[in-house]
Amino acid sequence: MKIACIGAGASGLCFAYKLQRSFEQFSLTIFEKNAEVGGVWFENRYPGCACDYPAHNYTFSWESKADWSSVYASAPEVKRYFEDFSKKNDLVRFCKFNSRVTKATWHDKEGRWWLNILPNNEDEYSDHFDIVVNACGVLNAYKWPQIPGIEKFDGLKIHSANWKEPGDLTASRVGLIGNGSSGQQLLEALQPRVKNLTVFIRQPTWVLGPFGEAPTDYAAEEIDDFKKKPGLLLEKRKKFESRVNSYFAICLKNSVEQTSLRTRLAERIKTKLRGQMIQKAEELFIPQYAVGCRRPTPGVKYVESLCAPNVDIVIGNIDRMTTTGIIDGKGHEHRIDVLICATGFDTTHRPHFPILGIEGRNLQDEWRDQAQAYLALAVARFPNYFVFYGPNNPFASGAFLSTIEAQADYTLKWCDRWQTENIHSFAPKFEAVEDFQTHASEVLQNTVWADSCNSWYKNGSDPKVISLWPGSGLHYIEAISSLRGDDWEVKYTGNRFSWLGNGFSQVEQDPECDLAYYIREQDDSELLSSRKKRRAIARGSRIDPKSLHVIG
């Protein structure tokens, strides 16, 4: 079994680890465009860049890290976690760095993919693979704002995802566009360094405060306790994960949880604003849309930074740019020396290179208007192809790395079938994808994500199309815990039962197996109903429900 994985970020490394742990007789090549592992954590290096999610829970479920230096780890420290993970498990041996995939073509007669690969400073070449896993991610192609005249600006232009150190800014007038997580982190980091900072905000955002604990460095004694006290770190991680996994109720329109949170956040923001001399303060800091319509951000010092004397705030759309600055929607010019854009990424899910499936269909064209996938991980008419956190991934309602783990498990279950059942190809049925999209659309209209806000969760050309999972993160993990074979088109090489072989079982031919393994003193066999199986897997005590929805 020959597999290609595109990308050596968190998802690519997770897939590689699980593949080598469970499989034999396979070949894996991870093509990574960058010089090292880490994905988004390799690329994002702007001042103040950090994980806005508690570090102890931004790990693989089985690979905790006791010595995080702070509650919210810096980007270099998160990058180091994935580097250490790859070294510990010898995953770098699978990687081809500085190698960009430029095209993928399915050859149906052969039942395999051909990839074109372009290494840095070398000639392009091609190679074939039985299965392709796209782990490029959705946050890997940064996007400049579409502002007329932006190319005319004579000053320095920097994007947060392609950071170039601007040098000394103490005498500079800086313009900052974007108020998502990156924009807020940059605001806090740059405000003390610049002469003047003009922040351009198209739409206000809800400031939730810390998702978990307040930002702080861990004392040496605390780190030592995490390392040495049995169960302490596990309890801490499970408590926060339970909190995250209780979040979906907040995402339902007009739910008690949503109403309560919105009221509490509005009151907290009003309290912070008392005494601050900002015109139209509540219009700026208290959005009209529901909490969670846009991706929540902690914004711990967001209000305080915006209220600093060297910060000017411009609300609304930008009309155009000139050689010397920005013209706002009211026609006023704001002169700047440096433009910094924290305007995110191309989140349309369209691949950045041609992927040609059955009958030469290009996924770039198929997903031009709307990206549609099967359960966020496979595509009709694109056989033996998987994608991590594809369209309708539970970005807004679950723990990110836990989702990755579940998607890796699902993909490897199909890899196991391919390896053991003489399968030629498999792809989700078109009608299964359509049915899923219809169901998802109906459910999502009753969530806060359907409210009127600018969000990367939505299709830019049609904001009614929401590319999120229609449920909680745990709901998604349960949904993909087993293969629904009737949703898939499966083709075989020859007789579909030729995998039965010569009549001998694998147990008989494996010297490490017990020929009477099923004889036992008590019935400890797997439970067969979904309900009892779920209870056996997830058995444990619950956190006090009163503490779960408290944010900040």
Side-chain angles (χ1 to χ4, degrees):
M1 180 171 61
K2 189 174 179 182
I3 301 176
C5 179
I6 308 170
S11 53
L13 295 177
C14 179
F15 177 79
Y17 167 82
K18 285 176 171 282
L19 176 66
Q20 74 165 10
R21 177 177 181 267
S22 293
F23 286 76
E24 297 175 350
Q25 298 180 357
F26 69 87
S27 165
L28 171 66
T29 306
I30 303 175
F31 296 104
E32 170 54 57
K33 66 179 181 179
N34 294 318
E36 301 174 28
V37 303
V40 69
W41 297 107
F42 174 84
E43 295 178 352
N44 281 264
R45 307 175 184 185
Y46 60 84
C49 183
C51 185
D52 60 11
Y53 196 80
H56 281 297
N57 286 74
Y58 198 78
T59 63
F60 295 123
S61 61
W62 68 90
E63 189 78 15
S64 64
K65 175 179 165 65
D67 59 348
W68 289 109
S69 63
S70 58
V71 175
Y72 301 94
S74 67
E77 194 172 8
V78 177
K79 175 175 173 281
R80 218 160 34 245
Y81 170 81
F82 291 112
E83 288 173 341
D84 292 345
F85 176 79
S86 66
K87 291 174 184 174
K88 174 182 175 181
N89 296 287
D90 195 22
L91 304 180
V92 176
R93 65 192 168 103
F94 299 120
C95 296
K96 287 195 174 182
F97 296 111
N98 300 310
S99 296
R100 189 181 296 270
V101 175
T102 60
K103 188 177 182 180
T105 307
W106 171 254
H107 287 244
D108 199 56
K109 187 176 181 180
E110 301 175 17
R112 59 176 53 158
W113 286 93
W114 281 87
L115 301 189
N116 291 9
I117 302 106
L118 181 62
N120 286 3
N121 304 317
E122 294 182 32
D123 293 335
E124 187 172 77
Y125 68 95
S126 61
D127 199 357
H128 62 84
F129 298 89
D130 301 310
I131 295 169
V132 170
V133 178
N134 190 335
C136 290
V138 73
L139 303 179
N140 75 341
Y142 63 88
K143 182 177 65 176
W144 289 99
Q146 295 181 338
I147 302 172
I150 189 170
E151 73 285 351
K152 298 178 182 177
F153 179 60
D154 286 338
L156 181 62
K157 292 194 294 279
I158 307 174
H159 196 286
S160 59
N162 187 32
W163 188 258
K164 294 178 175 60
E165 184 55 45
D168 185 8
L169 296 173
T170 53
S172 297
R173 299 165 299 179
V174 178
L176 173 62
I177 301 176
N179 67 333
S181 182
S182 298
Q184 292 180 17
Q185 291 175 348
L186 273 164
L187 168 65
E188 182 181 336
L190 291 174
Q191 179 268 318
R193 294 175 49 187
V194 303
K195 175 183 178 181
N196 175 262
L197 183 62
T198 303
V199 183
F200 297 87
I201 297 174
R202 181 173 56 173
Q203 189 178 49
T205 187
W206 283 104
V207 179
L208 269 66
F211 293 152
E213 305 167 61
T216 185
D217 291 339
Y218 287 116
E221 295 79 10
E222 291 178 286
I223 294 173
D224 200 48
D225 284 346
F226 290 145
K227 291 178 178 179
K228 296 178 179 177
K229 289 189 176 179
L232 179 65
L233 181 55
L234 179 63
E235 180 184 3
K236 179 184 180 68
R237 296 170 66 214
K238 287 177 72 69
K239 183 175 181 179
F240 180 76
E241 199 83 357
S242 296
R243 192 178 189 180
V244 171
N245 287 333
S246 75
Y247 179 73
F248 183 62
I250 292 171
C251 302
L252 299 176
K253 279 185 180 178
N254 303 317
S255 66
V256 173
E257 291 84 358
Q258 168 67 206
T259 302
S260 173
L261 178 60
R262 185 168 184 164
T263 300
R264 189 165 70 250
L265 290 179
E267 287 302 317
R268 182 198 297 159
I269 293 169
K270 289 176 183 177
T271 300
K272 279 191 173 187
L273 289 173
R274 285 180 191 138
Q276 302 289 352
M277 301 301 293
I278 298 183
Q279 201 171 18
K280 298 182 179 179
E282 290 191 15
E283 176 188 333
L284 172 62
F285 292 103
I286 303 179
Q288 297 303 304
Y289 57 80
V291 180
C293 181
R294 294 180 64 181
R295 181 186 181 276
T297 53
V300 178
K301 296 183 179 179
Y302 179 61
V303 174
E304 293 82 351
S305 297
L306 279 178
C307 295
N310 65 333
V311 174
D312 296 319
I313 306 165
V314 180
I315 307 172
N317 290 325
I318 292 172
D319 183 69
R320 66 189 186 280
M321 288 198 69
T322 67
T323 57
T324 57
I326 295 176
I327 308 293
D328 65 27
K330 296 179 181 178
H332 301 137
E333 181 175 13
H334 305 269
R335 290 179 174 266
I336 57 174
D337 306 304
V338 179
L339 174 65
I340 297 175
C341 297
T343 46
F345 301 82
D346 176 0
T347 55
T348 61
H349 292 282
R350 289 182 67 216
H352 304 296
F353 56 90
I355 300 177
L356 308 181
I358 291 176
E359 298 175 349
R361 295 172 181 271
N362 189 343
L363 192 56
Q364 292 176 313
D365 298 329
E366 299 287 300
W367 283 1
R368 185 176 301 280
D369 297 322
Q370 180 185 348
Q372 295 188 338
Y374 175 79
L375 306 184
L377 45 69
V379 188
R381 301 170 181 147
F382 288 79
N384 300 14
Y385 173 81
F386 293 95
V387 57
F388 276 94
Y389 32 94
N392 294 104
N393 191 76
F395 286 113
S397 56
F400 177 63
L401 291 183
S402 300
T403 300
I404 284 176
E405 294 175 27
Q407 290 176 336
D409 291 344
Y410 186 94
T411 299
L412 289 168
K413 288 171 185 175
W414 271 111
C415 291
D416 182 55
R417 286 200 60 186
W418 187 94
Q419 194 178 48
T420 58
E421 297 181 32
N422 67 292
I423 288 176
H424 168 276
S425 59
F426 46 81
K429 295 176 181 176
F430 183 73
E431 56 267 32
V433 176
E434 282 192 317
D435 285 350
F436 168 67
Q437 293 296 324
T438 299
H439 171 78
S441 179
E442 291 173 356
V443 173
L444 288 167
Q445 292 310 309
N446 295 316
T447 67
V448 298
W449 306 312
D451 214 343
S452 298
C453 69
N454 299 310
S455 168
W456 64 268
Y457 301 149
K458 299 182 180 183
N459 184 319
S461 59
D462 185 358
K464 292 182 180 178
V465 176
I466 306 163
S467 188
L468 287 174
W469 179 255
S472 69
L474 282 179
H475 180 255
Y476 180 73
I477 290 172
E478 286 186 24
I480 66 170
S481 61
S482 59
L483 307 183
R484 288 175 48 87
D486 45 333
D487 291 346
W488 289 73
E489 295 278 4
V490 180
K491 291 172 62 178
Y492 293 87
T493 302
N495 188 308
R496 72 180 63 212
F497 289 109
S498 64
W499 61 272
L500 288 172
N502 60 7
F504 285 97
S505 72
Q506 294 293 327
V507 168
E508 290 170 271
Q509 296 180 323
D510 190 335
E512 295 186 20
C513 291
D514 176 0
L515 296 182
Y517 65 89
Y518 48 85
I519 300 297
R520 55 199 184 278
E521 294 179 337
Q522 59 183 10
D523 187 2
D524 57 358
S525 60
E526 179 184 9
L527 296 168
L528 302 178
S529 75
S530 297
R531 181 186 292 268
K532 285 203 169 184
K533 187 186 296 185
R534 178 176 64 252
R535 285 176 174 171
I537 293 171
R539 181 183 291 116
S541 59
R542 286 208 168 203
I543 305 295
D544 179 2
K546 294 179 181 179
S547 72
L548 292 178
H549 300 294
V550 179
I551 294 179

